[in-house]
Amino acid sequence: MAKVINPDICVIGGGAAGLSVAAGAVAFGVPVVLIERGSMGGDCLNHGCVPSKTLIAAARHAQAIRTAGRFGLTASEPVVDYERLHARIHEVIAGIAPHDSVERFTGLGVEVLQSSARFVDENTVAAGDHLIRARRFVIATGSSPAIPDIPGLDKVPFLTNETLFDLTRLPAHLLIVGAGPVGIEMAQAYRRLGAEVTVIESRRALSGADPELASIAIAALRAEGVVLHEATTILEAVQSGGRIVLRCENGSGAFQLEGSDLLIAAGRRPNHASLGLSAAGIDHGAKGIEVGSNLRTSNRRVYAIGDAAGGLQFTHVASYHARLVLQQILFRLPAREHRAIVPKVTYSDPEIAEVGWSEAEARDKCGAVEIIRTDLALSDRARTDGVEAGLVKIVVGRRGRILGVGIAAPGAGELISMWSLVVANGMTLKQVRGYVAPYPTLSEIGKQAVISYYAPLAKNAVVRSAIRALRVFG
């Protein structure tokens, strides 16, 4: 007979979103059951943010060795011991894993069930030999790599982010399908580590980013030797003589590409197929579980957060969603998701970071807006660090309100944090103008951008004052 559990909250999924809800709720003494069928920590820890950024860090050091001549040092081609790099990636994962482990959460007071979960009715979830009847359920089951419908792909060995970091050898020639953030990040990293890299994209590379910012990152990739085919259709994938062959077509005609390994980085799909959502009266589709701005599903007992709810797929969104749900469940306070305040970062070099509305979004929503553009070359710190290309772009609305900010620069993901605070609080150029930036830092360029907006106004004011003086004393 199944054991019945009646917690206050049942969380389905032990990734970033689910763990944040569980830890937050149990800290207030609320009984929580957490169900996870796979590895604790979810995609971010095991297959996503942590291993990918460890790889990118290694690639950045390799590039520094390769380009050291610019700084008066002896440059050389880096020697990559990929087995050691593989070991380091998994050492970093292992170092973080205890924070997300079953043991830690059990110690916090969370009842952890290592099993699959399935709704059997609107009020009950089955997990192994348990039936959970909770006051509230939170679905945080994340997402998995989406596999495109390419003829022959099912007969060809390929990698996804879930298997890429198991490689113990450097690919000789890596073919990447998809030029979104993951595809572009991995393309640059593997190229810097010494692999030949070719990327195929059916649309524009980094199509989700502001085109001006994206063009800077894409130019850097191409300068480093990454081959990129945009607006290209893959007609067929085959394996021939141990090689992967992609038969392609674009505006220039038909052609084929050959490589040693194939990485599929063509987006994500939500993990909700096995949850029995229909039995619980939860509306859902191919893009995720349908939720309102309060993240509540069509079943009022159930919330869906993170990748499970579709929308932005970032670990910091998972944490943001967790806070909004806890605010409603624990404190009975209304909460609404505001996607415009969530920063987006692509960890290429230069990085691309954006928050708020892009220029296109602002023009569509507001009509007349002003755009401040400041070249990173104006920064003294950029000169000292040998940074040759970058841009800060500020979208300004009525009364100087800052509607959005985009940055293409080394460390843009760090630089965007201040602007996230600015956008989230509806601040204006006048308010930003008053802060003091340390010199010399790249963050200074943001202050310079704001001052550049006022320079013509100040000049015109001086001219107007002079004209008035001439009229009085002339």
Side-chain angles (χ1 to χ4, degrees):
M1 179 179 291
K3 178 183 178 182
V4 177
I5 311 176
N6 299 101
D8 202 57
I9 300 173
C10 175
V11 180
I12 305 173
L19 295 181
S20 295
V21 172
V26 78
F28 284 91
V30 174
V32 178
V33 168
L34 172 69
I35 307 170
E36 172 55 60
R37 67 184 180 186
S39 300
M40 293 283 280
D43 189 77
C44 180
L45 172 62
N46 299 289
H47 314 297
C49 312
V50 172
S52 68
K53 302 312 169 280
T54 306
L55 183 83
I56 288 170
R60 183 171 61 249
H61 284 289
Q63 188 69 359
I65 295 169
R66 187 178 287 114
T67 60
R70 296 186 303 155
F71 298 94
L73 306 174
T74 300
S76 64
E77 188 62 23
V79 177
V80 177
D81 184 337
Y82 200 86
E83 287 191 8
R84 288 179 61 190
L85 174 53
H86 170 268
R88 170 168 164 70
I89 289 171
H90 289 274
E91 285 168 6
V92 173
I93 294 172
I96 298 172
H99 185 267
D100 295 346
S101 66
V102 172
E103 292 76 15
R104 175 173 180 259
F105 276 80
T106 299
L108 292 174
V110 176
E111 183 169 358
V112 180
L113 303 179
Q114 294 180 281
S115 174
S116 296
R118 176 178 55 85
F119 282 92
V120 295
D121 58 40
E122 293 185 350
N123 308 310
T124 311
V125 164
D129 59 355
H130 293 79
L131 289 177
I132 300 94
R133 296 189 178 120
R135 185 173 67 86
R136 293 287 183 266
F137 294 89
V138 180
I139 301 173
T141 45
S143 63
S144 298
I147 308 303
D149 186 16
I150 298 172
L153 186 60
D154 58 335
K155 299 179 179 63
V156 170
F158 62 84
L159 302 160
T160 67
N161 74 293
E162 293 182 349
T163 55
L164 178 64
F165 303 108
D166 292 332
L167 282 180
T168 56
R169 58 172 177 79
L170 180 69
H173 187 167
L174 182 61
L175 303 175
I176 300 178
V177 176
V182 173
I184 290 301
E185 289 172 10
M186 292 300 94
Q188 187 174 43
Y190 275 100
R191 179 66 190 130
R192 287 179 162 190
L193 291 170
E196 295 295 321
V197 179
T198 302
V199 182
I200 308 95
E201 170 57 53
S202 61
R203 299 180 294 173
R204 172 178 66 85
L206 294 177
S207 59
D210 180 285
E212 280 188 272
L213 304 174
S215 66
I216 296 171
I218 296 304
L221 260 71
R222 284 187 159 130
E224 292 179 16
V226 173
V227 177
L228 173 61
H229 297 279
E230 297 176 280
T232 296
T233 300
I234 301 174
L235 304 174
E236 186 182 19
V238 299
Q239 188 173 20
S240 176
R243 303 278 288 175
I244 307 295
V245 179
L246 300 180
R247 295 182 177 132
C248 307
E249 183 178 58
N250 58 23
S252 300
F255 62 98
Q256 72 177 34
L257 302 167
E258 291 189 19
S260 61
D261 298 86
L262 174 63
L263 171 64
I264 302 297
R268 311 280 298 175
R269 59 173 178 79
N271 297 327
H272 60 54
S274 64
L275 289 176
L277 297 177
S278 296
I282 299 172
D283 295 337
H284 58 282
K287 294 184 177 179
I289 297 171
E290 296 179 16
V291 296
S293 59
N294 61 354
L295 302 172
R296 182 172 272 173
T297 71
S298 52
N299 180 336
R300 290 186 58 80
R301 285 180 176 269
V302 183
Y303 295 83
I305 63 176
D307 289 9
L312 298 173
Q313 297 176 327
F314 301 106
T315 298
H316 50 280
V317 171
S319 301
Y320 172 48
H321 282 182
R323 176 173 62 81
L324 296 179
V325 166
L326 288 172
Q327 182 174 320
Q328 296 173 77
I329 295 176
L330 299 184
F331 305 109
R332 309 293 196 276
L333 295 174
R336 296 288 183 270
E337 179 192 29
H338 298 288
R339 292 187 180 179
I341 70 171
V342 176
K344 302 178 292 183
V345 183
T346 298
Y347 296 93
S348 52
D349 184 10
E351 293 178 355
I352 299 173
E354 298 176 84
V355 68
W357 291 344
S358 67
E359 178 181 355
E361 289 171 327
R363 292 195 188 283
D364 181 58
K365 296 175 187 292
C366 302
V369 296
E370 294 183 76
I371 307 298
I372 304 173
R373 294 177 177 83
T374 303
D375 194 320
L376 205 67
L378 297 176
S379 163
D380 290 353
R381 182 58 181 268
R383 291 179 181 274
T384 65
D385 290 2
V387 178
E388 297 175 353
L391 178 68
V392 174
K393 185 174 181 180
I394 303 175
V395 182
V396 184
R398 294 181 59 191
R399 298 186 177 90
R401 183 182 175 187
I402 297 172
L403 303 177
V405 178
I407 304 172
E414 305 292 339
L415 298 175
I416 203 67
S417 292
M418 185 198 82
W419 297 105
S420 297
L421 179 66
V422 167
V423 170
N425 288 279
M427 295 172 68
T428 65
L429 290 171
K430 181 179 179 180
Q431 290 170 302
V432 174
R433 183 185 65 187
Y435 96 97
V436 178
Y439 176 89
T441 60
L442 290 180
S443 62
E444 228 190 344
I445 197 70
K447 178 71 176 289
Q448 292 178 25
V450 172
I451 292 173
S452 72
Y453 173 84
Y454 285 99
L457 301 179
K459 181 178 180 181
N460 291 337
V462 170
V463 171
R464 287 194 298 271
S465 296
I467 291 173
R468 283 196 299 270
L470 287 172
R471 285 174 177 169
V472 172
F473 299 107

